[in-house]
Amino acid sequence: MQNKKVVVISGIILLLLFFSGGYFYKNFNNEKVSKISKEKLALLQRPHSLVIGNKEAKVQLVEFFDPACGACAYFYPKVKQLMKEKEGDIKLVLRYAPFHKNSNYAVKMLEGARQQALFDETLKFMFNTQSQWVQNHIVNPQKLWSLLVNVEGLDMEKLGTFMNDPKADEIIKQDIEDTEKLNIDKTPSYFVNGQPLIDFGWENLVKLVDANL
């Protein structure tokens, strides 16, 4: 009987050690992730980065995206709606991660539109027409160019001049270097106040934002 009690008590102790060990390991990993994020905070927002919303907002939401990415097209309006619902509390920092073949051309066109104060209109148009200029995950620059004439107010001549400007290439180069340093290999990738969204998903993103408000 005494031996049985010893076995039971030993089993309980082992279970407690297992669960407490898992708890501390999880928290250690979370702290490690947070520490790494803080060390690399400067990589999340560069001087050239487009910032949308209140620059003094409580939450800095950084999104690395590709104009040719289907998931990015799906998430972007949801992010904008979230910002509207929490107006003034979120600033969105947009960074480029042109992982699709030829996507750098789409980024350059988007940056050219930004120079004409038509970034949002052009990005929405790109996302809405994605199926027409992205095939088998490959961007067709000529097709996209022919479609952009439909963006109201976009000066194609100015856009053409910008396409030869090395400024856009420098922006792309910097953003790609930052994705590599941050170990980003998919789009969209999100960071909330320096903390990466580990478990991808819309609900998880909202929870992470809410936790920082």
Side-chain angles (χ1 to χ4, degrees):
M1 188 68 178
Q2 187 69 28
N3 287 338
K4 285 184 179 180
K5 286 183 178 179
V6 171
V7 171
V8 171
I9 292 171
S10 298
I12 292 172
I13 292 172
L14 285 172
L15 284 172
L16 288 171
L17 287 172
F18 174 79
F19 285 114
S20 62
Y23 173 81
F24 287 116
Y25 176 77
K26 182 179 179 181
N27 277 280
F28 172 78
N29 274 345
N30 287 340
E31 288 176 7
K32 187 177 179 182
V33 167
S34 179
K35 184 178 179 181
I36 291 172
S37 299
K38 289 176 183 177
E39 288 174 351
K40 297 182 177 180
L41 198 60
L43 303 178
L44 296 177
Q45 183 175 334
R46 295 290 186 175
H48 67 259
S49 302
L50 178 64
V51 179
I52 300 173
N54 177 15
K55 291 179 173 57
E56 304 300 323
K58 294 178 182 177
V59 172
Q60 179 203 52
L61 174 58
V62 182
E63 177 180 347
F64 283 84
F65 79 103
D66 185 336
C69 163
C72 297
Y74 173 76
F75 272 82
Y76 189 64
K78 295 175 78 68
V79 169
K80 295 298 287 291
Q81 180 60 34
L82 180 64
M83 292 180 66
K84 186 177 180 181
E85 292 171 359
K86 302 180 186 296
E87 189 173 356
D89 290 333
I90 302 173
K91 73 170 181 178
L92 175 64
V93 181
L94 291 175
R95 303 294 304 279
Y96 297 118
F99 294 153
H100 288 70
K101 186 175 180 180
N102 296 332
S103 192
N104 58 310
Y105 291 103
V107 169
K108 290 180 75 170
M109 293 177 201
L110 187 54
E111 270 298 302
R114 178 184 173 186
Q115 298 300 310
Q116 299 182 40
L118 289 169
F119 178 92
D120 199 44
E121 294 84 351
T122 304
L123 181 57
K124 286 179 182 177
F125 181 83
M126 285 184 174
F127 281 155
N128 289 335
T129 60
Q130 228 177 44
S131 61
Q132 299 181 50
W133 54 274
V134 181
Q135 295 181 339
N136 299 319
H137 306 290
I138 299 174
V139 172
N140 184 328
Q142 291 78 17
K143 182 62 176 178
L144 176 57
W145 182 267
S146 67
L147 288 168
L148 287 180
V149 298
N150 295 301
V151 177
E152 187 176 353
L154 188 62
D155 187 322
M156 299 303 291
E157 186 175 344
K158 287 183 180 179
L159 185 59
T161 300
F162 182 83
M163 293 297 288
N164 297 314
D165 190 331
K167 178 182 178 181
D169 295 311
E170 291 169 6
I171 289 173
I172 294 171
K173 182 175 181 292
Q174 181 66 75
D175 281 13
I176 289 177
E177 286 178 359
D178 288 344
T179 63
E180 292 172 352
K181 291 174 183 176
L182 291 164
N183 298 316
I184 294 171
D185 57 5
K186 61 182 179 300
T187 54
S189 285
Y190 296 99
F191 292 80
V192 178
N193 285 351
Q195 184 177 349
L197 179 66
I198 302 299
D199 298 318
F200 185 76
W202 176 247
E203 290 184 0
N204 291 331
L205 178 59
V206 173
K207 287 178 182 177
L208 188 56
V209 168
D210 285 342
N212 282 272
L213 287 175

